[in-house]
Amino acid sequence: MKKFAFLIIAIVVLASCSSQKKEQVAEEPEAVVYTVDNLYENAESLVNKEVVVKGTVMHVCKESGARCFIMGSNEDMIIRVEAGEDIGAFTQEQMGSDLEITGVFTEVTTEAEAHNPDHGEEQVEDAETEAAHETIVEAQEATEIVYFIKGLKAKELAPDPQEETSDEG
Amino acid sequence: MKIRKFLRNWHRDLGYFSVGILVIYCISGIYLNHRHDFNPDYKIFYSEFKVDIEAKNSYTREEISNILSDLEREVIYKKHYIANNGNIKVFIESGEVEINPTTGEGAMRYLQRRALVYEMNHLHKATIIKTWKWISDVLAVIILFVTISGLFILKGKYGLKGRGWWVTLLGILVPLFFMILYI
């Protein structure tokens, strides 16, 4: 019995060590950090490339946190980020936080990739969610080509103290 | 009957071992089943209020923080902006507030994690580190072994050759019925 317990503990420790090791290896030299606005300006040249983008989380998919929408200078500058297996899930608490996302900038080419929050599996339980969905759909409809990011890594940025004292809106 | 002894011993030990994960899967499974009835991860508190506010193009952090300080619930300001519909959208720790600057009417959505259930749901959905996916696969195989081995432990009229067979069949028929009828 002791052997059995020891074996299980050893497997769990080894598994968690190997994942930590992988995270350490993932440290990379600093890349160009785009804003959502910059990303759209350079969309053609960046498509299918790994990019780093930062923006404010304006909506997180409620049911699973499988995707979030980050915003640039205004509500018309929104991009969807799919958490995928690498990020796992976004949390509702991340709404309003600034995130730095590393991921593959991708053009929506199939119906499966075009996650439309109004027709998806996400339930609408309040006016705020409904309004966020409308904003996202309007922003998507305003563009000829819809892009999204296949997320690989997400880092929460500390609030910018300069921004806190300035006028916004 | 060495095989029956082997099955009994491993069924017992792995059965004890599976208790933790089975409790997690069962409890979170109930919450996730009802994801269309309520949010399985968060309790959501929704409230409406009215404030005195002057309609203008921009607001400072201090102005918005002052408005928030008058609310019933103590909240922490994160960020704000003017939305396309002209409303002030304010992100707070664990929620959001939207204020119509013309009417002064506002609404707040405040989220509170369901203690333990939130974590259980994430384990169930395997939305944490990749390693967990493989660990939960191993645990699933162990649970499968415990289930299958359980069929062959008892002998006699209560074993698989007697009552056991009929009860097992009944348990299979329930999901099978819904599978055939609705999928």
Side-chain angles (χ1 to χ4, degrees):
Chain A
M1 189 58 231
K2 278 181 186 171
K3 279 181 191 169
F4 173 68
F6 181 76
L7 183 72
I8 296 297
I9 291 166
I11 289 170
V12 172
V13 170
L14 272 173
S16 59
C17 284
S18 69
S19 89
Q20 276 175 7
K21 204 174 172 183
K22 205 170 178 186
E23 279 163 21
Q24 283 164 6
V25 173
E27 294 286 328
E28 287 162 13
E30 280 189 26
V32 178
V33 180
Y34 292 95
T35 62
V36 179
D37 301 46
N38 292 155
L39 206 59
Y40 280 119
E41 282 163 19
N42 301 291
E44 269 183 47
S45 59
L46 293 173
V47 76
N48 293 329
K49 288 184 182 157
E50 191 175 310
V51 295
V52 182
V53 59
K54 71 171 182 178
T56 305
V57 180
M58 62 87 65
H59 182 63
V60 176
C61 168
K62 279 193 180 55
E63 282 189 13
S64 59
R67 59 194 64 86
C68 79
F69 294 82
I70 58 170
M71 190 176 83
S73 58
N74 59 62
E75 280 190 336
D76 298 324
M77 287 290 168
I78 295 171
I79 190 149
R80 170 165 56 95
V81 182
E82 291 290 332
E85 207 177 42
D86 293 289
I87 295 174
F90 296 103
T91 67
Q92 292 294 319
E93 286 91 343
Q94 284 176 317
M95 272 175 59
S97 297
D98 287 337
L99 290 191
E100 192 176 279
I101 305 283
T102 305
V104 180
F105 186 59
T106 311
E107 184 184 332
V108 171
T109 53
T110 64
E111 192 61 35
E113 286 173 345
H115 172 80
N116 184 337
D118 251 11
H119 302 107
E121 76 282 5
E122 190 180 348
Q123 83 191 97
V124 176
E125 57 197 9
D126 52 53
E128 271 76 15
T129 307
E130 202 173 342
H133 286 183
E134 275 173 24
T135 305
I136 292 160
V137 172
E138 278 170 19
Q140 284 184 354
E141 283 173 356
T143 55
E144 278 181 30
I145 305 169
V146 180
Y147 297 97
F148 73 103
I149 294 174
K150 287 178 184 167
L152 299 170
K153 208 163 64 177
K155 186 170 87 178
E156 198 158 330
L157 303 172
D160 181 358
Q162 203 126 39
E163 190 185 27
E164 284 175 13
T165 52
S166 67
D167 282 11
E168 289 168 66
Chain B
M1 282 293 103
K2 271 184 179 176
I3 184 77
R4 208 180 289 276
K5 193 182 175 189
F6 168 84
L7 286 179
R8 193 174 57 235
N9 289 344
W10 280 93
H11 177 86
R12 180 196 60 216
D13 289 341
L14 292 176
Y16 287 135
F17 182 72
S18 308
V19 166
I21 193 67
L22 273 174
V23 167
I24 287 173
Y25 280 146
C26 290
I27 293 175
S28 58
I30 293 169
Y31 275 85
L32 294 172
N33 259 353
H34 290 272
R35 65 192 176 281
H36 296 296
D37 302 320
F38 53 81
N39 190 308
D41 293 325
Y42 297 90
K43 288 180 192 166
I44 300 175
F45 301 93
Y46 190 78
S47 60
E48 289 179 353
F49 57 88
K50 198 162 169 81
V51 290
D52 287 326
I53 189 168
E54 185 193 338
K56 51 185 184 174
N57 292 332
S58 67
Y59 299 86
T60 63
R61 176 199 165 106
E62 283 69 33
E63 284 173 310
I64 300 298
S65 296
N66 282 339
I67 291 170
L68 296 181
S69 65
D70 290 336
L71 300 181
E72 266 181 46
R73 186 182 290 274
E74 201 174 315
V75 295
I76 300 167
Y77 168 94
K78 270 171 101 173
K79 189 173 261 205
H80 77 275
Y81 69 92
I82 306 292
N84 285 350
N85 61 6
N87 288 352
I88 310 164
K89 179 115 175 177
V90 189
F91 292 112
I92 54 173
E93 293 282 350
S94 302
E96 56 187 323
V97 172
E98 192 157 342
I99 304 163
N100 182 331
T102 317
T103 62
E105 286 170 351
M108 176 167 69
R109 202 169 59 94
Y110 188 83
L111 305 156
Q112 195 177 62
R113 276 189 188 184
R114 294 183 192 277
L116 264 179
V117 175
Y118 176 88
E119 288 79 6
M120 287 182 186
N121 288 346
H122 277 266
L123 287 172
H124 194 140
K125 293 184 289 183
T127 50
I128 54 170
I129 57 166
K130 271 186 189 174
T131 315
W132 174 250
K133 179 177 76 178
W134 300 109
I135 292 176
S136 58
D137 279 353
V138 172
L139 293 171
V141 171
I142 290 173
I143 293 166
L144 195 64
F145 173 82
V146 171
T147 309
I148 303 292
S149 61
L151 294 173
F152 303 102
I153 286 175
L154 275 187
K155 287 191 286 188
K157 65 173 183 174
Y158 292 114
L160 200 60
K161 284 180 181 167
R163 182 191 178 94
W165 162 249
W166 294 108
V167 180
T168 304
L169 190 67
L170 192 66
I172 293 171
L173 283 178
V174 173
L176 198 66
F177 173 78
F178 285 91
M179 263 169 70
I180 292 166
L181 235 66
Y182 297 101
I183 301 175

